[in-house]
Amino acid sequence: MRRCLQLAGLGLGSVAPNPMVGAVLVHEEGVIGEGWHARFGEAHAEVNAVREALERGHGAMLASSTLYVSLEPCSHFGKTPPCTELIITHRIPKVVVGCRDPFPEVNGRGILRLREAGVEVTEGLLEAECRDLNRRFFVFTRSHRPYVILKWAETADGRIGMPGERTQISGEYSRRLVHKWRSEEAAILVGTRTAIVDDPALTTREWIGKNPLRLVVDMDLELPGSLKLMNGDAPTLVFNARRHDPGPVQGGGVGYYQVTTDVSLVPQILNALHQMSIQSVIVEGGARVLQSFIDEHCWDEARIIRAEGKMLAGGLPAPVLDDAVLVDEQQLASDRVLWFRRKG
């Protein structure tokens, strides 16, 4: 199952809004096939594992093998046929499942279908790890909103920049890490002032991978077309109070999503992203936008890059997390990278 998790992780950033899944076929303690869900709309992990076993000439072993899979096999027709029928067709007698799929069309039905067909199913092996791997998918499916990651860089004295000035705080290695993070998520969001002052591109220029959907809050549509966000390098969606023309936002297009000013903005943004099947979003700034997600209790993870050797007297104070638990930290040259999760 640990190998399943390793394989599943290879799909990070490529399979959403589907979950990441890894599968391993074992015959008499030997691995005869492996697979993972590599890209949205393409073959699932179980299909790829069986295919590899067949290509290696191990087809006759399938009827006496055990399939390990990190997430419950699907039992419905989506973009691909149900994996339960593949397992039954090849007469695989035993399946070990990491955790159940919370998607309403599966959620125990895959396991039930296998058991009804005589397959021996074991559940819950490394269940916590399997759930954590797909935490984006679980939040999206159960809470009907994208998984929210807050990110900012701050100085040793807790400042994120000077008012009205673009301020570089993090180091080279940390900036590359941020581009890696961007490649792993579906969307990235900034506010109006950050877009104007920093003029960020919000792309993955320093890492291999796709660009996220760029999101910007611009209630009065005051952002100039000369900004990098409007340059066509990646799609952009503008949340505003005046115009509704969302797309399709593909290629390098710019779309407009109208929101209202009489209710909180954060739930409107999250609801819109859920409707567009955007499974995860990084909120990169500025301080007011970040703090609004914190105050609404609409965040799941926070990644803070702390430049330990820098001070910025008179700078803008960093957001203040609530209900946060430190889960990991890493030193990158002079920067300390801190990972937090929200309690509950």
Side-chain angles (χ1 to χ4, degrees):
M1 190 59 71
R2 294 198 185 281
R3 177 59 176 161
C4 288
L5 290 168
Q6 289 178 336
L7 293 168
L10 298 174
L12 181 60
S14 300
V15 303
N18 281 356
M20 295 174 281
V21 185
V24 177
L25 275 163
V26 177
H27 181 268
E28 295 181 354
E29 305 302 321
V31 174
I32 62 172
E34 294 183 335
W36 68 92
H37 187 28
R39 189 167 287 104
F40 176 71
E42 296 186 1
H44 288 187
E46 300 93 324
V47 175
N48 290 326
V50 169
R51 180 182 297 155
E52 182 176 275
L54 294 174
E55 290 175 349
R56 293 170 62 184
H58 298 321
M61 298 180 183
L62 291 175
S64 56
S65 64
T66 299
L67 174 66
Y68 291 81
V69 60
S70 57
L71 190 71
E72 177 183 7
C74 63
S75 55
H76 67 292
F77 282 88
K79 288 187 175 294
T80 60
C83 293
T84 51
E85 303 314 301
L86 174 78
I87 294 167
I88 294 167
T89 297
H90 287 281
R91 297 183 294 116
I92 298 171
K94 297 181 181 180
V95 176
V96 180
V97 176
C99 67
R100 290 198 177 197
D101 186 338
F103 188 63
E105 293 190 47
V106 186
N107 198 13
R109 295 181 184 180
I111 291 171
L112 178 61
R113 172 69 181 122
L114 292 175
R115 286 176 173 160
E116 288 177 340
V119 178
E120 179 184 331
V121 181
T122 301
E123 296 184 62
L125 183 60
L126 298 184
E127 182 174 7
E129 290 90 335
C130 291
R131 288 178 178 272
D132 186 65
L133 174 74
N134 276 310
R135 56 191 181 275
R136 297 166 180 81
F137 176 71
F138 274 72
V139 166
F140 185 81
T141 303
R142 290 177 169 173
S143 300
H144 307 292
R145 65 165 177 81
Y147 187 85
V148 177
I149 300 170
L150 310 180
K151 173 266 164 183
W152 70 83
E154 66 181 31
T155 58
D157 56 347
R159 306 293 170 174
I160 64 170
M162 296 298 292
E165 298 179 17
R166 181 172 183 175
T167 310
Q168 185 62 57
I169 293 175
S170 59
E172 176 185 357
Y173 294 112
S174 296
R175 290 196 297 274
R176 291 183 186 178
L177 177 62
V178 169
H179 284 230
K180 176 179 182 294
W181 291 343
R182 291 175 180 174
S183 74
E184 296 169 348
E185 311 304 334
I188 184 169
L189 171 71
V190 295
T192 309
R193 299 311 304 167
T194 297
I196 293 174
V197 174
D198 292 350
D199 192 15
L202 302 184
T203 58
T204 58
R205 304 177 305 283
E206 298 184 29
W207 195 264
I208 298 172
K210 66 175 181 60
N211 292 318
L213 170 63
R214 302 185 294 194
L215 310 171
V216 60
V217 178
D218 181 19
M219 296 300 284
D220 296 319
L221 294 180
E222 62 182 359
L223 294 178
S226 58
L227 293 178
K228 294 186 180 74
L229 282 173
M230 310 296 184
N231 64 9
D233 287 350
T236 300
L237 185 65
V238 182
F239 288 100
N240 71 97
R242 298 189 175 186
R243 177 180 176 186
H244 191 72
D245 181 18
V249 183
Q250 297 176 353
V254 178
Y256 298 87
Y257 196 100
Q258 189 172 15
V259 293
T260 64
T261 57
D262 57 344
V263 296
S264 176
L265 179 60
V266 170
Q268 293 185 77
I269 291 175
L270 295 182
N271 181 61
L273 296 181
H274 183 264
Q275 292 180 11
M276 292 185 285
S277 294
I278 301 298
Q279 193 181 89
S280 62
V281 58
I282 300 178
V283 182
E284 282 209 6
R288 182 180 297 177
V289 173
L290 286 160
Q291 194 64 54
S292 68
F293 277 82
I294 296 169
D295 293 343
E296 292 278 356
H297 308 291
C298 288
W299 67 280
D300 302 285
E301 192 173 324
R303 302 171 183 178
I304 302 173
I305 300 171
R306 185 167 294 154
E308 296 183 325
K310 290 185 178 180
M311 305 287 281
L312 198 61
L316 297 168
V320 179
L321 290 174
D322 65 347
D323 297 327
V325 178
L326 179 66
V327 294
D328 198 7
E329 54 185 306
Q330 177 184 7
Q331 192 73 35
L332 281 180
S334 60
D335 293 340
R336 194 72 174 167
V337 185
L338 307 171
W339 280 266
F340 294 89
R341 296 274 184 91
R342 191 167 68 88
K343 291 180 183 178

